[in-house]
Amino acid sequence: MLLLALSIGIFILFCLKKAPFVSFTSGIRRNVTAIAASLALVAVNAAVALAQPPSGAPAHQPGGEANLKLPDLSQESFLGVDGHSLLLIGLVVCALGMLFGLMIYNQLKKLPVHQSMRDISDLIYETCKTYLITQGKFILILEAFIAVIIIIYFGFLAMPPDEANPILRVSIIVLFSLVGILGSYGVAWFGIRVNTYANSRTAFASLEGQPYPVYAIPLKAGMSIGMMLISVELVIMLFILLFVPGNYAGPCFIGFAIGESLGAAALRIAGGIFTKIADIGSDLMKIVFKIKEDDARNPGVIADCTGDNAGDSVGPSADGFETYGVTGVALISFILLAVSSPTVQVQLLVWIFVMRILMVVASAGSYFINEGFAKAKYGRANEMNFEHPLTSLVVITSVVSIILTFVASYLIIPGLGDGSLWWKLSIIISCGTAAGAIIPELVKVFTSTKSRHVSEVVTSSKEGGSSLNILSGLVAGNFSGYWLGVSIVILMAIAYAFSLQGLGALMVAPSVFAFGLVAFGFLGMGPVTIAVDSYGPVTDNAQSVYELSLIEQVPNVQALVKQDYGMTVNFDRAKHLLEENDGAGNTFKATAKPVLIGTAVVGATTMIFSIIMLLTAGLTTNVEKLSLLHAPFVLGLITGGAIIYWFTGASTQAVTTGAYRAVEFIKANIRLEGVEKASVEDSKKVVQICTQYAQKGMFNIFLTIFFSSLAFAFIEEYFFIGYLISIAVFGLYQAIFMANAGGAWDNAKKVVEVELKQKGTPLHDATVVGDTVGDPFKDTSSVAMNPVIKFTTLFGLLAVELAVQLRHTGENGALLSHALAAVFTLISMYFVYRSFYGMRIGVEK
């Protein structure tokens, strides 16, 4: 064990010194030895503790989710076939879902596009590739930290005594954590490839001046990503469920969930920092030099387009993949921990996966139904409200999903419990599905270009400039916190009421299961949720591709387009449609964010319950410590708020410093005379600046979260439970407030540009300032709350068990645990310090 500990420390030290980001931060280089040593310290002390004879107190029995065993799914029949065979059919549905995604991908690739636009989208894709390759290396470095804890926990603390091949067991769990990372990473890569085809095709389609193709292409790209994402996720989870031995499957699910959470957190946080550095750097040039939106002479525009994909495509794709996986893993863990009857376990597991499979069917069917209506209504129209068909798609999908939920539940679990639970469980899931439709409508009240809150932001800017613009946006964000929070509470309360009607006879804590099903229902129309979220980055990029292509300056372009494509070009109309559609994209990007953060918070209750079951031996001991009468629990509740507000500041500081450096470079190198467009070298330099500060900011943030989780778990296990509850609640409202305030500022600027036609005026300048304030609000700090909460909770499963086992082993276990807590706290505080003082402008070089 000691040899393993030293090997782990040396391995991490090697990885950190080889890391692609170390070259620009000597502070990290100076401290890699301390970081590696601290992680080796965990392994060393785990070995020492395990070698000690137990004290007089009863020995703690490790395991929890590590030793979950899946029941034999073939022992129950459903619709005339056993559960295992029924879910095998689900693999066929997933294969069809992936085929659907690939077919749309090929359709997009074959759509007509002018060469000048194709060249720009290819350049954007190449910069995105460079960014993703760099991020992939970075994530593997972060995985080394997690691998240490996985090896210690699963390899030593939670290893079953009768395990015949312990090395194989641990290797499989680590492998599935890598599969989780690759899943998040792979769907993110697919997303940028689809979007960089769609952006140039959308820009070209706008030339004819008809709105329908400008709407249809981005949505088609979104459905391709959504169907591929959900299908790949389901294939991996069904593989674990159906083909991995039952005594390995539980740990593999946990390893997979931790891996995908790590990948999503890294891509979401780093992508959010990257995109807003580029966005602010590009936008501020409009004020400084009085140039137009996406001016080809601005070196920041290509970086902005890359950032649209890094932050608004890569991040959401990885985040969505992780969200669907982790929510499923939380429910699987709950069923195995809280339900004693193997028969009921099988019934609930098969039912949940049938629901997941049906979401693919419901989304695909609803898409075709909605497109039929949309094409009939808008196919030849000269005007359309781009938000209307997107809204109808969400509504149709939610209705279809709810109907299928009731039908499938009746067919799959008609005799569960007293025979009435099939419709009660259907109502509980439908509360979440309804939330997936209701929350976007509430978000539009605060962020839509047609909303009164956005109108108020514009009106206040007319006389009050950027000051009142910012204040009105803050008002919108705060009010949205109230209405969205109340709506979530009402839906959860309905679910709670139905959980009291017979579920208690099958499981402990039925209300927790109900809340988990609500989170599951949030995702009941998964591919469509991802599709409308992915709509935004395509519409944003399409506008940029149009301007950067300089197609209006191509000699004889109108005649050539008419000759080659049979299209009569209308440049002014094309620009208007692209700008108007971008407003709809902004709105629907905003609507997806609270849905994802809502799943993190509602689903966190299910994951936290798993830790509680572990600590209380199935709710039989120490339950009284989960109350305000237990001081460490209360202190943990307070501590969670501190972490959420630090995270907000740290991520925003990384954007601020990076944007300063980007602006500094652009102002020094932009050429407005004698050139048509910025050089590729200058554009790539801005991309490099964005990548540099995204990774530096992410490194500080990740290590703070990592060591804080270890520290709080080692302080006291019920302190840690309070902390997890707190970050979920604080994170929910902070994320809702920031996302919707940012959305209001963003679309206020869009109203001034598209409806009021006042670009270049003081009013426009005021809304640009508001938009740049809102950029890190809506696309950096708020959106990253979701993967951060879930990663912390999942990692906490391992951290708290490691801490408890050390505390209960040997005479000095408690002293050792508290000593490690002090060490980890100091390390986390150091990185909190670095996240500002090491990132200050002028200090960070």
Side-chain angles (χ1 to χ4, degrees), residues 231-476:
S231 299
V232 170
E233 174 76 48
L234 263 175
V235 164
I236 296 172
M237 296 195 72
L238 284 171
F239 178 86
I240 297 174
L241 187 70
L242 298 174
F243 302 113
V244 174
N247 59 326
Y248 281 23
C252 287
F253 272 125
I254 300 300
F256 171 67
I258 291 173
E260 61 181 349
S261 286
L262 173 63
L267 291 171
R268 197 48 140 155
I269 296 170
I273 295 171
F274 182 107
T275 185
K276 293 304 107 178
I277 292 173
D279 201 354
I280 293 172
S282 178
D283 278 355
L284 288 180
M285 295 306 103
K286 293 186 289 188
I287 298 175
V288 174
F289 295 109
K290 297 299 180 184
I291 57 178
K292 64 181 179 179
E293 180 93 15
D294 300 320
D295 194 301
R297 298 168 298 177
N298 182 353
V301 175
I302 288 293
D304 188 16
C305 293
T306 304
D308 288 338
N309 287 282
D312 294 334
S313 177
V314 168
S317 296
D319 191 3
F321 184 84
E322 174 257 1
T323 296
Y324 293 98
V326 170
T327 304
V329 169
L331 283 171
I332 292 168
S333 299
F334 179 93
I335 290 168
L336 298 181
L337 287 169
V339 178
S340 59
S341 168
T343 298
V344 175
Q345 287 180 353
V346 171
Q347 289 175 318
L348 290 176
L349 286 172
V350 171
W351 173 67
I352 282 175
F353 273 90
V354 168
M355 293 298 105
R356 282 178 158 257
I357 293 164
L358 286 177
M359 82 164 64
V360 177
V361 178
S363 295
S366 300
Y367 169 72
F368 287 121
I369 292 170
N370 187 71
E371 279 306 281
F373 286 123
K375 191 168 186 178
K377 183 175 182 179
Y378 300 113
R380 297 183 180 276
N382 291 320
E383 298 291 340
M384 71 178 287
N385 184 321
F386 290 107
E387 292 185 10
H388 282 176
L390 296 173
T391 300
S392 64
L393 174 60
V394 172
V395 172
I396 291 171
T397 309
S398 64
V399 171
V400 171
S401 296
I402 290 172
I403 292 172
L404 287 178
T405 295
F406 277 87
V407 172
S409 297
Y410 175 75
L411 295 174
I412 299 296
I413 51 172
L416 183 66
D418 61 2
S420 67
L421 286 180
W422 69 269
W423 62 266
K424 294 172 184 175
L425 289 173
S426 296
I427 289 175
I428 293 173
I429 282 190
S430 297
C431 286
T433 307
I438 293 170
I439 288 176
E441 289 306 301
L442 287 174
V443 169
K444 286 196 283 186
V445 170
F446 305 97
T447 63
S448 171
T449 54
K450 308 298 182 185
S451 75
R452 284 176 287 182
H453 274 281
V454 170
S455 177
E456 183 73 2
V457 176
V458 174
T459 301
S460 66
S461 305
K462 291 179 178 178
E463 296 295 338
S466 56
S467 297
L468 293 188
N469 172 283
I470 291 170
L471 289 175
S472 294
L474 294 175
V475 168

Side-chain angles (χ1 to χ4, degrees), residues 42 46 71 125 139 175 228 240 260 298 339 353 475 482 557 606 669 672 723 840 843:
V42 179
Y125 176 63
I139 293 170
L175 174 64
M228 179 64 70
I240 297 174
E260 61 181 349
N298 182 353
V339 178
F353 273 90
V475 168
Y482 172 83
V557 65
T606 311
N669 292 276
L672 300 178
Y723 164 71
R840 289 173 60 212
V843 174

